[in-house]
Amino acid sequence: MPMPPMRLFHRHPGLRRRRMGRIVAAGVLIAAQASLSLAAEPAQGAQPDPRRVTPVVQVFQAARDAVVNISSTQIVEVQSPFGGMGGGFDELFQEFFDLPQFGPRRRIERTSVGSGFVIHPAGYIVTNAHVVARTAERKAIFADGSEYDAQVVAIDAEHDLAVLKIEADHPLKTLPLGTSSDLMVGETVIAIGNPLGYQHTVTAGVVSALDRSLPISPQTQFRGLIQTDASINPGNSGGPLLNVLGELVGINTAIRADAQNIGFAIPVDQLRRLLPEMLDVERRYRIRTGLRVEGDGGRCRVAQVEPNSPAAQAGIAPGQVIEAIDGVPVRSVIDFHIALIGRQPGDTLRLTMASGAVRNLTLAARPRPDGAKLLRAKFGIEAEAITPELARRLGVPRLRGLIITGVELASPADRIGLREGDILSQVGRHQPRSLQELGDLLEGVASGQTVELGVLRVRGNALYLTLVPIQAR
C-alpha cells in the first residue's frame, strides 16, 4: 500500500484558499498552543508563583532570543514545476504552490515563512534547506521584532539543512548544542517556531520514537529521524527541538500530512557531522591551521597534522585531544570549527590539551585563488558577478550570483548545455556571489571530479532553476 504524502512544513500564506475552512477550524488548537508562549511572559509587574515555572517555561525563556522566524521570497514559474532540484523538491513545490499544468507561463513571487536558530554569536543561523531553497531574498526576525537580511552560506538538500548568515551590530544569543545519541523514548521535548505565521510559538511533547525513515519521494528518504508528538505545523520547519535542559537535540523538518501530532526532526548529531563542511571556516576566512580534527567519544581529537604547517610549528601532534580554545571548552569537532569563525591570519589561538599541555597556534594566511581562471580552466566558462543594475534589468532586484558571459566550445559546460546569459547561483552546497568566492570553492576541485552547479535561466518573464552535474577537466 503506498505511503501517504510527507510534508516539509514551511508555510506559504494565502495558498490553497479552498482549505481555509480547515484552517479556521484549527484556530482553537493554534490558540491553545500559543498560550504556552504567553505563560512565559506574565503581565507587566506580575510575579507568578515559582511553582508555575515549569521546565517548559524555563526552556522557552532561555531559548526564545536565539530562535528566529525566517520570511522568504521564492520565485516560481507557474505552468510546470522547477526541474532537477532532486530530494523530492519538485513534488513538494507542486503540492505547496498548487501549480497549474497548463496555461501561459509567468513568474510569480511567493512569500513563505519558516524557523531557524542561531548557532554562533557572529550571526550564523541553521534552518532547513527546503525553507530557503529557490529563495530570492530572506529575512531573519527575532523575538524582539528586529529583522535582518540573511544570506545563504550553504545548502545541503540531501539532509535538508542550510546555514544562513546575518550581519548584526551585536553578539547574538545562541542555542547550546546537545546530543541526540542518548535520547530516550518518552522524554520531554520542546519545539519553538513560527507555525502558520504565529511567531515564537512553543509546544511540548515527548520523543515518540527514534531512528525513523521518512520517504519524501520515490528517490529520496530522510533517515535516522526523531519522531515526536510535540505539536508542529507548517512554519515550524528549521526550528529547534530542545530537551528540558534547553539543549538542541533536533531540527524540526516534517509532519505526516494524514496524521495529528506525528512530527519528525533531524537529530542534532547529524548537524554536528555536517556543519564543519557546510561552514568551511578555513576557506571562508582564508586561514590555515594545518590540522584536521575528528570526533572521539564526544571529544575533539587531532587526526592529522600537515608538515611545516602552523599546527606542526606549534608542536601539535596527531592523537592529542583539544579540551579548550582560548579558555572556551571544546566538547566536539563542531566546537573547534565554531571557535575559528571570524579569525584572521596572524591570530594566535591558545589550545589546551587533555594532557594539560598548552599549544599556541598562529593562523597562517591561505592564498586566494583566481576564480575566473579556475572556472575557465576546469569547466570552460567565462563569468562575471551580477551587479545591482543587472539584477534590476532581469526583474529580480535582489538576485545574486554570477552570470555566464561565454562558454568554450566542446568544454564540459558546452556539453551539458550551459550558455551565455545563464546564472551560476550555486556550486555544491555553497552559493558564491563573486568570482573571489567562486575561486575559494573551486580551488579543491580535482580533474575528473563531478561538481553540482545550480543554474538559473531567465527567459522573458520566466525564471528557471535546475541543478546539473558537471565534470572538471
Side-chain angles (χ1 to χ4, degrees):
M1 182 174 179
M3 289 288 291
M6 301 298 171
R7 179 163 296 174
L8 307 184
F9 44 90
H10 60 317
R11 175 66 178 165
H12 301 270
L15 296 183
R16 300 207 175 229
R17 290 183 173 84
R18 63 181 179 269
R19 296 182 180 174
M20 284 302 293
R22 189 183 312 169
I23 293 170
V24 172
V28 175
L29 175 60
I30 295 166
Q33 294 168 0
S35 67
L36 280 173
S37 64
L38 295 177
E41 302 182 62
Q44 190 171 17
Q47 294 298 323
D49 189 315
R51 291 173 297 180
R52 292 169 50 204
V53 183
T54 65
V56 174
V57 173
Q58 292 173 335
V59 167
F60 178 70
Q61 290 176 338
R64 63 181 171 184
D65 291 336
V67 179
V68 298
N69 302 317
I70 297 173
S71 175
S72 303
T73 300
Q74 294 177 319
I75 302 174
V76 296
E77 167 66 11
V78 176
Q79 200 255 357
S80 62
F82 287 99
M85 268 301 278
F89 283 118
D90 295 324
E91 295 90 340
L92 290 164
F93 271 70
Q94 178 69 30
E95 165 69 14
F96 282 131
F97 290 123
D98 197 18
L99 300 179
Q101 297 301 308
F102 305 100
R105 292 176 177 174
R106 64 190 188 280
R107 190 187 65 216
I108 291 181
E109 293 187 358
R110 303 283 199 190
T111 299
S112 64
V113 292
S115 305
F117 55 91
V118 181
I119 59 161
H120 190 274
Y124 286 85
I125 292 170
V126 169
T127 186
N128 283 146
H130 74 265
V131 170
V132 294
R134 302 173 179 168
T135 55
E137 57 185 60
R138 299 146 297 273
K139 287 190 180 296
I141 305 168
F142 286 78
D144 63 2
S146 60
E147 59 181 62
Y148 302 88
D149 290 334
Q151 300 298 326
V152 175
V153 171
I155 289 180
D156 186 336
E158 180 183 355
H159 299 96
D160 199 22
L161 291 170
V163 177
L164 310 179
K165 177 69 167 65
I166 65 172
E167 300 298 334
D169 56 3
H170 61 280
L172 299 173
K173 170 83 173 176
T174 63
L175 287 183
L177 300 185
T179 181
S180 48
S181 61
D182 62 357
L183 277 176
M184 300 174 290
V185 173
E187 77 168 282
T188 299
V189 285
I190 299 105
I192 306 176
N194 189 27
L196 305 175
Y198 290 88
Q199 296 188 8
H200 284 78
T201 293
V202 59
T203 57
V206 299
V207 174
S208 303
L210 298 168
D211 199 23
R212 292 299 201 201
S213 293
L214 187 64
I216 299 300
S217 73
Q219 297 79 28
T220 304
Q221 282 199 5
F222 294 159
R223 301 181 186 278
L225 299 180
I226 302 164
Q227 182 182 326
T228 178
D229 71 346
S231 184
I232 48 182
N233 291 280
N236 274 109
S237 274
L241 188 70
L242 307 159
N243 63 19
V244 293
L245 302 179
E247 299 170 331
L248 182 80
V249 295
I251 302 96
N252 298 318
T253 190
I255 56 175
R256 277 290 294 264
D258 62 334
Q260 291 185 358
N261 291 352
I262 298 182
F264 300 92
I266 301 164
V268 69
D269 289 352
Q270 191 169 116
L271 175 67
R272 285 183 179 276
R273 178 173 60 84
L274 296 169
L275 203 50
E277 184 181 349
M278 295 178 73
L279 289 173
D280 201 1
V281 175
E282 290 199 32
R283 177 192 61 80
R284 189 168 300 281
Y285 291 100
R286 307 310 303 172
I287 56 177
R288 180 170 172 253
T289 62
L291 60 81
R292 182 172 63 83
V293 297
E294 63 184 15
D296 181 13
R299 303 182 300 175
C300 181
R301 185 176 67 85
V302 177
Q304 181 181 355
V305 176
E306 298 173 9
N308 303 316
S309 67
Q313 293 166 6
I316 299 171
Q320 292 182 318
V321 174
I322 303 172
E323 285 203 335
I325 297 178
D326 292 340
V328 178
V330 174
R331 301 183 180 90
S332 67
V333 171
I334 188 58
D335 289 340
F336 172 83
H337 289 282
I338 285 178
L340 295 180
I341 291 177
R343 304 287 187 166
Q344 301 295 321
D347 289 353
T348 297
L349 309 180
R350 188 172 183 269
L351 276 61
T352 304
M353 306 300 182
S355 63
V358 175
R359 299 286 184 261
N360 293 315
L361 172 62
T362 300
L363 301 174
R366 184 172 176 169
R368 192 174 290 279
D370 186 328
K373 183 178 179 180
L374 286 174
L375 187 62
R376 184 168 54 249
K378 293 181 183 296
F379 305 126
I381 298 173
E382 300 276 354
E384 61 184 37
I386 294 174
T387 63
E389 180 183 356
L390 177 58
R392 285 193 295 271
R393 286 210 315 265
L394 294 172
V396 192
R398 292 184 178 271
L399 182 65
R400 298 294 179 267
L402 302 165
I403 188 165
I404 295 177
T405 57
V407 176
E408 180 186 326
L409 287 175
S411 67
D414 187 37
R415 287 194 292 271
I416 66 171
L418 297 187
R419 64 191 73 165
E420 183 179 342
D422 288 346
I423 295 164
L424 187 61
S425 64
Q426 188 170 330
V427 178
R429 291 178 173 138
H430 301 273
Q431 297 189 340
R433 291 175 292 164
S434 67
L435 285 169
Q436 189 177 74
E437 291 182 10
L438 181 68
D440 296 344
L441 294 171
L442 295 182
E443 64 178 329
V445 175
S447 177
Q449 181 177 340
T450 298
V451 178
E452 202 167 46
L453 301 181
V455 178
L456 285 166
R457 183 163 290 170
V458 181
R459 292 293 180 266
N461 290 327
L463 183 66
Y464 301 88
L465 171 65
T466 187
L467 292 182
V468 293
I470 187 170
Q471 190 176 61
R473 60 187 178 185

